Amino acid sequence: MRQMTNILKGFFPNIPIYAAIGNHESFPRDSFPPPEVPEVWEKFGIQWLYDTIADQWEKLVKGPAPSSIRFGGYYSVLIRPGLRLISINTNYCYRFNWWLLYKSVDPGLVLRWLVSELHDAEKRGELVHIIGHVPPYYTDCYSQWAHQFSRIVTRYSHIIRGQFYGHSHMDEFRLHYDVNSPQKPIGVQYITPNNGPFNNLNPSFRLFYIDGDYPETTRKVLDYETWVMNLTHANKFDAPHWYQLYSARRDLQLPTLDPYDWDQLVQRMAQDPELFSKYRRYQVQDSDMYAKRSCGEKCRRKVLCTIVDGDKLMPPKCHPHD
């Protein structure tokens, strides 16, 4: 972690960098005991990790680390006037974190803390971006936790203007629907692809364009572009070549990146095999390995159902096995 901090600082010396904790940071990997249970924390706690993270993040943002990092690996910070960034520790919903079998109700108290932060942001008139590692609607996150997260997003959807995650290694998104009105799209979980080759994928990175600094700014995600490096080409010519794979609005024909338009995209992909094939190529980062495998009707339904049925405790919108 110290090595990564130094690399990032070297390349971006004057840009604040805000991080989210992933499942490989702990040792043993995936092990995140609940810090609010004293008898557990005294024996098995990972205070060494949270203290290290706080120390490293202070260097990246050039300011004091919030105390919540040292408690549970999450934090909230005002990054622009009226724009708050909340970094959540989604290892407390991760199904391979076996401590969740010991304490399953809001381990790490992350959801309680998140509600408190959103409540205060609402009172102050702030807009919010959320970052995390495991997407709450990803299959690795417990569905009960994800549903409670859904309820929180429903309550505060008017101020949550972006959610950004990783972990899946693919280029994906998940849609939030209002828990009280299940047909109404209210949010998007953007899942950025990985910058390594795991598994049969090309290294990638993404640039988001956010509504900027002016009096009536919405702080919405206006567009994004994904860049990839083709490994077949790199191995053949012994030289990495990065190229822009796609731009969301241009190549997926999105009027805006609002939840409604993403929902409409799913409807269009369900009717248009060519459009889905294009999305599938983006999802797997233009991988030559995946290009050899077809994604037929069953595969297409599964991909599309996964986007709209992230909250397993809400009525399903489609049935992947029909």
Side-chain angles (χ1 to χ4, degrees):
M1 288 183 66
R2 292 190 185 107
Q3 202 172 4
M4 281 304 304
T5 299
N6 292 334
I7 290 171
L8 289 167
K9 276 181 62 186
F11 281 100
F12 306 103
N14 301 311
I15 297 175
I17 296 171
Y18 302 97
I21 186 169
N23 56 298
H24 288 279
E25 262 79 281
S26 68
F27 183 86
R29 57 169 282 186
D30 309 329
S31 179
F32 292 83
E36 70 277 19
V37 183
E39 62 270 25
V40 167
W41 199 251
E42 284 164 19
K43 275 190 175 183
F44 305 103
I46 51 171
Q47 194 63 55
W48 58 271
L49 174 62
Y50 291 161
D51 286 343
T52 303
I53 287 169
D55 294 342
Q56 298 308 302
W57 287 352
E58 283 181 347
K59 295 176 186 174
L60 291 174
V61 301
K62 298 180 179 174
S67 60
S68 57
I69 296 181
R70 296 184 190 274
F71 173 75
Y74 44 76
Y75 64 92
S76 167
V77 62
L78 196 69
I79 58 172
R80 285 281 199 280
L83 177 61
R84 179 163 296 276
L85 182 82
I86 298 179
S87 177
I88 57 175
N89 185 350
T90 49
N91 295 298
Y92 289 121
C93 85
Y94 188 45
R95 64 173 65 245
F96 295 109
N97 176 14
W98 304 122
W99 288 104
L100 271 60
L101 300 174
Y102 181 86
K103 181 180 188 279
S104 61
V105 178
D106 197 13
L109 307 179
V110 62
L111 292 174
R112 179 189 296 189
W113 171 84
L114 176 61
V115 169
S116 173
E117 288 295 323
L118 289 168
H119 180 69
D120 290 345
E122 182 184 60
K123 284 199 295 189
R124 290 189 293 258
E126 296 167 352
L127 300 173
V128 173
H129 287 173
I130 295 174
I131 63 173
H133 181 68
V134 182
Y137 282 174
Y138 191 61
T139 182
D140 284 352
C141 181
Y142 272 115
S143 54
Q144 297 90 337
W145 194 98
H147 181 64
Q148 300 308 320
F149 185 78
S150 287
R151 295 176 62 212
I152 295 168
V153 170
T154 294
R155 167 64 180 81
Y156 294 100
S157 60
H158 62 295
I159 63 169
I160 298 172
R161 295 299 166 87
Q163 293 184 52
F164 311 93
Y165 305 98
H167 186 71
S168 106
H169 295 259
M170 286 197 176
D171 186 316
E172 301 182 283
F173 69 100
R174 300 283 191 274
L175 282 171
H176 273 275
Y177 295 88
D178 191 315
V179 294
N180 304 309
S181 180
Q183 298 305 315
K184 181 183 177 185
I186 57 165
V188 185
Q189 295 180 11
Y190 292 105
I191 304 175
T192 293
N194 63 321
N195 57 10
F198 183 83
N199 187 6
N200 292 325
L201 299 165
N202 287 318
S204 327
F205 68 87
R206 178 179 286 176
L207 296 171
F208 285 97
Y209 294 87
I210 309 294
D211 203 9
D213 295 329
Y214 63 97
E216 302 302 316
T217 180
T218 64
R219 302 296 185 187
K220 287 180 179 179
V221 181
L222 302 178
D223 202 359
Y224 70 74
E225 54 194 46
T226 296
W227 291 68
V228 302
M229 190 236 323
N230 184 280
L231 287 172
T232 309
H233 181 278
N235 285 320
K236 185 175 180 180
F237 297 101
D238 197 22
H241 168 64
W242 290 90
Y243 60 96
Q244 188 191 112
L245 178 59
Y246 76 105
S247 154
R249 281 187 64 182
R250 180 190 68 212
D251 295 305
L252 293 172
Q253 301 133 47
L254 290 163
T256 74
L257 265 61
D258 289 349
Y260 173 81
D261 287 320
W262 282 109
D263 178 74
Q264 290 299 300
L265 172 65
V266 179
Q267 311 297 330
R268 284 190 285 130
M269 288 196 292
Q271 305 298 324
D272 184 345
E274 275 190 36
L275 179 61
F276 174 79
S277 294
K278 184 192 273 191
Y279 171 77
R280 179 64 174 173
R281 186 166 72 89
Y282 301 156
Q283 186 189 25
V284 299
Q285 289 115 271
D286 217 4
S287 162
D288 294 324
M289 293 296 291
Y290 272 93
K292 297 172 185 173
R293 311 172 189 171
S294 65
C295 183
E297 184 58 29
K298 190 175 177 183
C299 168
R300 178 163 63 133
R301 283 192 67 83
K302 185 178 180 184
V303 169
L304 296 179
C305 288
T306 299
I307 295 171
V308 297
D309 281 337
D311 187 340
K312 304 300 183 197
L313 274 66
M314 284 173 68
K317 292 185 171 50
C318 69
H319 302 277
H321 303 300
D322 284 358

